């Protein structure tokens, strides 16, 4: 009886750990007040992310959204391994693929009263909200490594503005 209880406990813990691997909910990694308008800084970060040549960073599809009503910008890094519209012809894991999903143009959501939650599994989400005429608050949620790379890009872009 005791052995069964131990086995059930181990299996339950294993399943719970596996269930969290692809979770959309990510921890807050960074939060800081930065210089610059949310749109200008986010546009700069999106450009740097799309130009990054590291294999790991090319696994992500970057969605850049602007919410004018609430003066906020967001960049999602969706993991292409879990996106429904990625095929072998455009997968970053295929060295002969044609990458069709790089885009630095923002998606403008004029009537949004709040930011949209993640639709798919993501590596990070960067949210930049205007707090004044020349300052914004940036928050980063996501995986430690890719969030760190994106946060470095944010720091560089914020010093330019």
């Amino acid at each position: 009886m005791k052995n069964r209880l131990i086995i059930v406990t181990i299996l339950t813990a294993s399943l719970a750990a596996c269930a969290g691997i692809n979770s959309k909910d990510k921890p807050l990694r960074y939060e800081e007040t930065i210089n610059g308008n949310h749109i200008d800084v986010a546009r700069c970060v999106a450009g740097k992310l799309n130009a990054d040549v590291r294999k790991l960073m090319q696994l992500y599809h970057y969605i850049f959204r602007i919410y004018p009503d609430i003066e906020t910008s967001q960049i999602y890094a969706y993991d292409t391994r879990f996106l429904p519209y990625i095929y072998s012809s455009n997968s970053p894991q295929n060295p002969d693929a044609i990458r069709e999903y790089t885009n630095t143009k923002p998606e403008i959501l004029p009537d949004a009263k709040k930011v949209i939650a993640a639709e798919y599994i993501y590596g990070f989400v960067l949210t930049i909200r205007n707090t004044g005429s020349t300052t914004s608050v940036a928050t980063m949620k996501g995986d430690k490594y890719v969030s760190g790379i994106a946060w470095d890009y944010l720091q560089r872009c914020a010093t330019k503005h």
Side-chain angles (χ1 to χ4, degrees):
M1 182 70 173
K2 188 174 182 181
N3 288 340
R4 281 187 182 176
L5 182 60
I6 291 172
I7 290 172
V8 170
T9 304
I10 291 171
L11 287 174
T12 304
S14 297
L15 287 173
C18 289
I21 289 173
N22 292 329
S23 172
K24 286 191 220 173
D25 191 27
K26 305 285 183 178
L28 179 67
R29 296 286 177 193
Y30 305 99
E31 184 170 28
E32 184 177 307
T33 300
I34 59 169
N35 292 323
N37 178 285
H38 70 99
I39 296 172
D40 297 332
V41 175
R43 189 177 312 274
C44 176
V45 173
K48 289 185 180 304
L49 289 168
N50 278 310
D52 197 315
V53 296
R54 288 177 273 200
K55 285 266 190 216
L56 176 67
M57 296 308 283
Q58 289 184 348
L59 279 176
Y60 293 97
H61 172 55
Y62 303 103
I63 299 290
F64 173 20
R65 292 186 177 130
I66 298 173
Y67 304 88
D69 287 359
I70 55 174
E71 296 187 63
T72 302
S73 293
Q74 267 190 322
I75 298 174
Y76 271 96
Y78 287 117
D79 192 328
T80 58
R81 295 170 294 180
F82 302 102
L83 291 177
Y85 53 87
I86 300 297
Y87 307 100
S88 60
S89 61
N90 66 350
S91 171
Q93 294 174 325
N94 176 359
D96 297 324
I98 299 170
R99 192 172 181 201
E100 308 169 337
Y101 44 85
T102 58
N103 187 4
T104 57
K105 287 188 174 184
E107 178 183 348
I108 299 173
L109 304 166
D111 296 328
K113 301 297 180 206
K114 63 179 185 168
V115 295
I116 296 175
E119 293 123 13
Y120 304 106
I121 296 168
Y122 63 93
F124 68 82
V125 60
L126 170 62
T127 304
I128 307 169
R129 184 180 306 269
N130 264 9
T131 56
S133 59
T134 60
T135 60
S136 299
V137 171
T139 58
M140 176 73 75
K141 289 175 68 176
D143 300 330
K144 186 176 182 178
Y145 183 73
V146 293
S147 294
I149 291 170
W151 192 257
D152 287 343
Y153 286 147
L154 171 77
Q155 297 297 311
R156 291 183 210 165
C157 290
T159 58
K160 292 180 182 178
H161 298 283

